[in-house]
Amino acid sequence: MDTQMQTMPGYRYAEYLLVLNPHEDLRNRIMNQKKEFYEVYNAPYALWGKPHITLAKFTVWEMMEEKILNRLNIAAMGTPPFKVLLKDYGSFPSHTIFIKVTTKVPIQKLVKEVRSSKRLLKSPDYDPFFITDPHMTVSRKLVPEQYDKAWLEYSHRPFTGNFIADGMLLLKRREGEKGYQIVRRLEFKNLPVSTRQGDLFG
């Protein structure tokens, strides 16, 4: 892309993450799991990021943000709050260990709704990513040896937890920045289509 364009306001790329966030108690419990994983298996990526379930990830020009927020808000307004159940551990061999989500259907339905805005979330240089197998990462980017050792234990280790998803968070990281900032929380309101359209065009 033209370097001059990249320095113009609005023509800067930012990476966005759309997530479900567990309540504080559960977040702390999972964070403790991540810390323990880091200490036992010397896995720095276990400490990266707060516990969340990724719905989508996309990189677009910042000037698109307001338009995208409006569209995501309509998706959120039509979604009823739902319960997320977490149970035990799963893995993507040979690099990631995660906590399994057993209530995938409402999350997949929400992702399908978000995916209908795919054209808006696409940029000339990046394709958006939508989750198909919801999970909560404990650690990723493990080397095969770390993974084998950890999976030997975690494949038998129990975990249970649940939370009510009553909104989704849009996070953002500008080019060159390390951490994500919260852009907005979009609440699930279970409103009928006509009300949502009224809100959009009113």
Side-chain angles (χ1 to χ4, degrees):
M1 192 172 97
D2 187 331
T3 330
Q4 195 182 348
M5 269 177 86
Q6 270 181 314
T7 55
M8 284 165 68
Y11 280 99
R12 258 196 351 195
Y13 274 133
E15 188 183 272
Y16 293 86
L17 204 55
L18 190 62
V19 303
L20 296 178
N21 217 14
H23 57 73
E24 197 179 351
D25 284 354
L26 183 55
R27 219 167 40 234
N28 291 339
R29 262 181 72 204
I30 297 167
M31 209 59 223
N32 288 336
Q33 294 281 317
K34 286 161 78 68
K35 280 177 189 155
E36 185 193 327
F37 194 98
Y38 162 73
E39 284 158 10
V40 175
Y41 300 104
N42 188 26
Y45 277 93
L47 293 182
W48 187 89
K50 293 185 177 124
H52 64 266
I53 297 170
T54 299
L55 301 171
K57 191 176 183 176
F58 50 94
T59 301
V60 292
W61 287 328
E62 275 192 275
M63 64 176 181
M64 297 298 290
E65 192 175 291
E66 208 50 49
K67 213 180 236 187
I68 288 167
L69 273 170
N70 287 340
R71 185 62 197 84
L72 292 177
N73 196 38
I74 288 167
M77 281 163 56
T79 301
F82 55 88
K83 194 172 196 173
V84 178
L85 299 177
L86 305 173
K87 186 164 172 53
D88 302 338
Y89 295 86
S91 74
F92 297 131
S94 52
H95 51 76
T96 301
I97 288 174
F98 56 82
I99 296 167
K100 290 193 281 194
V101 174
T102 57
T103 44
K104 295 184 181 190
V105 176
I107 299 175
Q108 287 164 337
K109 207 173 161 187
L110 174 59
V111 171
K112 193 179 173 188
E113 184 65 36
V114 170
R115 200 188 195 114
S116 66
S117 311
K118 188 176 179 178
R119 274 178 54 202
L120 204 54
L121 309 180
K122 200 173 159 51
S123 65
D125 300 308
Y126 300 96
D127 277 332
F129 163 79
F130 302 96
I131 201 81
T132 51
D133 186 5
H135 60 277
M136 200 171 284
T137 303
V138 175
S139 188
R140 60 193 187 91
K141 293 200 178 178
L142 299 168
V143 299
E145 195 185 327
Q146 275 174 318
Y147 168 84
D148 291 341
K149 222 180 202 176
W151 186 234
L152 208 59
E153 185 201 340
Y154 278 79
S155 56
H156 305 292
R157 193 171 175 161
F159 184 92
T160 52
N162 65 75
F163 67 97
I164 300 294
D166 56 3
M168 54 187 178
L169 278 184
L170 184 65
L171 309 172
K172 159 180 164 178
R173 180 170 67 180
R174 289 192 178 98
E175 280 187 307
E177 288 180 349
K178 258 195 164 172
Y180 284 93
Q181 308 297 323
I182 295 172
V183 178
R184 195 175 300 171
R185 186 174 189 276
L186 305 156
E187 287 184 33
F188 299 156
K189 294 186 177 166
N190 197 21
L191 294 174
V193 175
S194 56
T195 316
R196 282 142 59 201
Q197 283 175 338
D199 190 84
L200 177 64
F201 300 115

